[in-house]
Amino acid sequence: MLSRTRISTTTTFEPEHVIQPIYTGGDVALDKTGHILATCLGEETVITDLRTGALLACVEADGEVLTALAITPNASNLILCSRSLSMQIHTLEFCGGDESSVRVSLLKTLKPHVTPVVTIEVDNTSTLVATGSADGVIKLWDVRGAYLTHTFRGHNGIISALHFFEAVEAEPDLPASANGKKKNRHKRSKLQDDIMNDAEINGNNTIASFRLASGGEDGQIRIWDLTKRKSIATLDSHVSVVRGLQFSPKANQIISASRDKTVIIWDAKGWKATKIVPVLEVIEAVGFVKAGAFFYTGGENGKLRIWETKSGREFTQEQAAGGEADGIVHVLHHTNLNFILSVHADQSLIFHSIDPLSNPDSSKSSIEPLPLVRRISGTHDEIIDLCYVSPERTLLALATNSESLRLVSLSTAAKDTSSNTASYFGADVALLEGHEDIIICLDVDWSGCWLATGAKDNTVRLWRIDEAQNSFQHFATFTGHAESIGAIALPINPPPVGSAAYNDPLSHAPSFLLTGSQDRTVKKWEIAKTHSSKASPKPPLAIFTRKAHDKDINAISINHDSTLFASASQDRTVKIWSVEEGEVQSVLRGHRRGVWSVKFAPKDAPPLIGDDGTASTSRGLVLTGSGDKTIKIWSLADYSCLRTLEGHTNSVLKVLWMPLPSAILTTSTPPLSTKNTLQIASAGGDGLVKIWNANIGETAATLNNHTDRIWALTVNPATNTLVSGSGDSTVTFWKDTSSATVAASVAESTARVEQEQLLQNHIHGGNYRDAITLALQLNHPARLLALLQGVVDRQPPEPGSLSGMRAVDDVLASLSDAQLLLLMSRVRDWNTNARTAVVAQRILAVVVRSYSAERLAGVKGRGWKDVLAALAAYTERHYKRVEGLVDESYIVDFTLREMEATGFVANGEEMEVL
């Protein structure tokens, strides 16, 4: 008979991937390569590689919220300013050929201003950083030396914009003599000498002067000469806060934008306004592109607009204004990059390609808006629901407390390293827009090609997901509920194998859809005939509507053959319905609070024996999770509760059945115990995911990686990967590591048995050196004590040995720090017992005599000082006990001498007394 080795059922999971926030508002910085992005995440700064999506580093400043940040163009330094009035300069050292990691070290902490820094700018050489504060003061700092170089005052109020530039101007004329000729060029003033020394003179008698432009909430723009250390011009045409400044070297012009809804182009020679462009929206960012031929604006409408610099007209076609959350708050662009990065109020980062501006069609007066080539969600906000989509389950749909549905990639294939088209695990793939209010629930059909969404706008939308063609289309809208959609379900049973619907699911929508609402009704919708005629599509109609519950409906689930469905409600009940007629089959009562989740068991689920001995039948099982912190398993045979699971400390918000575990066997027949094991997963308001053994009603594993309640939970049936989405804006992918854990445990047990046998062989053969080393390695205190006891009790001891055997002395004198710490920990324990104190003291004497005081003092290990302290305390106690015995021995000697003197003892022999 063949023996079989079974791996136990799922018990361990580890976080394999985590999609987490990288930006929650505040400053954003980009290096000149377009690869390294630095973003504010509350009190921390996140450094991300845009090519791979990898989080390179998370830098915490001083525990206060950041008010400004900047990264040098060469990505050598990171500057952070916080609400605590401190400024930290960090050095960045990228490791590896692909810069896959970065080492961040603090260079210096400064207090730059007496009020918070609100604006920061680094020059193109990565050597100077300018900070502007709320008190109207501007300071310039040397980045590498971390010292102050300039201080400028002149603005009234907050500094809202800063920009370094290098202006080219004519060489200053020298004073003329009385006869009209210029004085000798060698007789310049000291100021002129400083200018000539600090500025670069070209062949046309012009000077490249380093300058700084600043804008404030007073509407003024000031030009500061870094060489003269003073303001050389004041541009006063804006009537509101200046939000953007940039210089064009080719055109020798400065462009400024303000919240007064205007853009002004200034001549950098005479500092006169050459053009005023009304943009008719509050502007937050402006800049030149394509060597100053065009400029962009971004503001409250949330649209990136391109303008011709020469004519001042808008070059992109008119775009509909977005909502308040779509507003642009920052725009990042470097002249060497082929994209513009816009940062929006909803914490999304959008990459716009500027390729259409390279060779614009002169016959067209306008172009389409710049194409969006990539989107990054800085934060997914609160994850309300999620599910796998696409046939290969390589996409994840996220409902993120917004009216738009996000699709993210789960592909782990080779990454495209292009900075603006990178694809990686967790990258945003598409944004499905159409709902007018927050999306609450999602469901996907058996194929993964059809996705249904329900929202607070009282509508349901069906989406066609074609990942191969990168097509994500809206298919139909279902309108009829009077209140928010709280539950939605699509059939999960596949059509017959070989049928047209099975072979081409994209062309065959699911046959029906079930919805539940806060209006307390459930509706069944027919889908297949919704778009049967493309010429005149009929609006979808409900096949039936049923008044289902007395309170909001939270969840709907359809069984494996689409004959039954279950609805869960806040009225603490779950109802079982027939799909065809819409008639109630039974009502499940027993929960003490509202029921948040319900799921039918999979088709091949084995029977389950309840706590009272009742067994389920082939009709199946139903799983429910409630606000009363319990999970219940119900039998569809008699609609009784078979088992109640308790363990969560808050409401159970989501439950599901785990795929039936597969055993790894040496034969093809799985053991009965594995085949009959049922497992379920639950997520709760306590931020925990729990895996349960439904057969015995006990927790198999508790997964903890969230800090807020978990609203969403799903599982990949092919890989058994759990995905949890939480209110903390994170999505965690839990990999089933049970097989690896069991294999490692088996390997460890086998190795331990072999080492145990080897230890016995060493002891039996008298090989004390290897025996002691192995006993320390195996951490066997009893074996080690027996070994050392035998050495100490050895008669006669070897000459010159401290312990009794020179081989043992050599072993004890050549221990590593870890071994020495472990040995002395055992000696400390033995030293507390009078019966084993002799061995402890002998070994302690060997160690003290074998190692120098410096070596013992330098032992590295947790608890070393405590071990030494305990050894000293008990050793002192033993010496006091020995001293007491010595004193008592004198009394015995005195008594014997007195007895001998009185005749009770003579010549060493006792005398008989009559």
Side-chain angles (χ1 to χ4, degrees), residues 156 179 181 231 243 245 257 335 404 439 460 509 532 535 663 665 725 730 746 749 777 787 891:
N156 296 321
N179 59 7
K181 296 182 180 180
S231 172
R243 291 295 296 137
L245 293 168
T335 55
S404 301
I439 298 174
V460 175
S532 58
L665 308 169
T730 62
V746 170
S749 299
Q777 179 182 344
L787 276 171
I891 297 176

Side-chain angles (χ1 to χ4, degrees), residues 13 87 126 350 443 521 551 614 642 668 744 774 778 789 800 876:
F13 284 79
M87 179 174 74
S126 301
I350 300 178
D443 198 29
T521 65
K551 291 185 179 181
T614 306
L642 296 178
S668 60
L774 191 56
L778 295 176
Q789 184 75 56
E876 184 178 357

